[in-house]
Amino acid sequence: MEIAEKKGKLFIISGPSGTGKGTICKALLERNDIDISVSMTTRTPREGEIHGVSYYFATREEFEQTIAEGGFLEYADVFGNYYGTPKAMVVEKLQQGRDVILEIDVQGAIDAKKVYPESILIFILPPSLKELRARIEGRGTETEEVINLRLSKALEEMSYIDKYDYFVVNDIIDDAIIRTEAIMHAEHGRVVPEDVKYILDKYKEEEKCYTHQ
């Protein structure tokens, strides 16, 4: 007899800019049989972007209709364009037994947790602010003013870490990927009250096969 979980799990990964969360998510997708949530946006597609792969592109009217119907796990208006995570698309994958990764900002993660309490929130931390500054400076694209703003924003985001279920310090990227994977595997072994009857019934069914031979 094989115990199979009824639903997949939603892992929400976030953290300050420069912590490497995008790199971790990319590695998780390459190393595991999981899906990543595709966001919906009202902005115009950029060259090379594909509808349903890069984003789900929608009109402002379509997006606001979905808001009115309660159809997002989370959404935000960013510089005049909406961005959001369609709830139905994520829930469908979870019901199929698929795990889903959602990479979003801290406020989005907290909002999504309220809508889908079973979400597992993982916060990616830098080893230090000094290292975070070095990583941002290493991009060579930010002014000193912008770097200082990003560091202030990072501290603000870190103040919400108590809302998260786990944290991973990204000092060495390979180690951070392994630790994040370990959290995901451990969650599949968590005893969830609503699944207890399902698991016990599976074993009782097997027992009947052996005791009535």
Side-chain angles (χ1 to χ4, degrees):
M1 177 194 65
E2 181 180 348
I3 294 294
E5 291 184 81
K6 293 181 290 183
K7 290 195 301 183
K9 295 185 181 293
L10 175 58
F11 296 95
I12 300 180
I13 298 178
S14 51
S17 174
T19 55
K21 57 186 180 294
T23 302
I24 291 172
C25 288
K26 182 180 178 182
L28 292 173
L29 288 169
E30 291 172 349
R31 293 159 56 116
N32 300 273
D33 184 22
I34 53 179
D35 295 323
I36 191 164
S37 173
V38 178
S39 297
M40 182 181 288
T41 183
T42 57
R43 75 162 172 76
T44 304
R46 296 169 184 159
E47 185 176 354
E49 290 185 330
I50 302 171
H51 178 73
V53 177
S54 308
Y55 285 95
Y56 291 106
F57 295 100
T59 65
R60 194 169 185 87
E61 292 75 18
E62 290 170 336
F63 200 106
E64 290 179 345
Q65 179 62 33
T66 306
I67 293 174
E69 294 170 353
F72 288 106
L73 285 176
E74 56 81 35
Y75 70 92
D77 189 332
V78 182
F79 302 119
N81 283 308
Y82 280 124
Y83 293 83
T85 303
K87 181 168 62 176
M89 298 171 188
V90 171
V91 171
E92 180 181 0
K93 290 181 180 294
L94 297 174
Q95 293 292 349
Q96 293 170 354
R98 302 286 300 173
D99 284 352
V100 178
I101 290 178
L102 176 55
E103 181 194 344
I104 51 176
D105 64 20
V106 171
Q107 187 56 58
I110 294 170
D111 290 344
K113 182 81 167 180
K114 292 175 183 176
V115 175
Y116 192 80
E118 301 97 322
S119 303
I120 299 140
L121 273 55
I122 305 173
F123 199 104
I124 308 299
L125 287 167
S128 66
L129 281 181
K130 179 180 179 181
E131 175 61 24
L132 183 59
R133 169 179 277 275
R135 291 178 185 178
I136 297 172
E137 288 177 340
R139 296 172 177 173
T141 58
E142 313 285 5
T143 65
E144 182 67 20
E145 180 182 4
V146 171
I147 291 172
N148 289 335
L149 286 173
R150 287 195 180 278
L151 291 176
S152 296
K153 178 67 173 177
L155 282 173
E156 178 186 341
E157 290 175 324
M158 289 177 198
S159 69
Y160 290 95
I161 197 168
D162 63 325
K163 307 294 184 184
Y164 281 68
D165 301 296
Y166 299 94
F167 71 89
V168 172
V169 177
N170 183 12
D171 189 355
I172 300 172
I173 186 64
D174 288 344
D175 290 347
I177 293 166
I178 290 170
R179 286 196 292 272
T180 306
E181 281 182 325
I183 290 169
M184 296 169 69
H185 292 318
E187 280 295 325
H188 278 283
R190 180 187 290 274
V191 177
V192 181
E194 55 266 32
D195 287 345
V196 170
K197 183 178 185 301
Y198 166 77
I199 292 171
L200 292 178
D201 284 349
K202 283 284 188 179
Y203 281 106
K204 288 176 182 177
E205 181 181 343
E206 185 186 26
E207 180 190 24
K208 292 177 183 177
C209 295
Y210 284 107
T211 57
H212 290 83
Q213 286 180 344

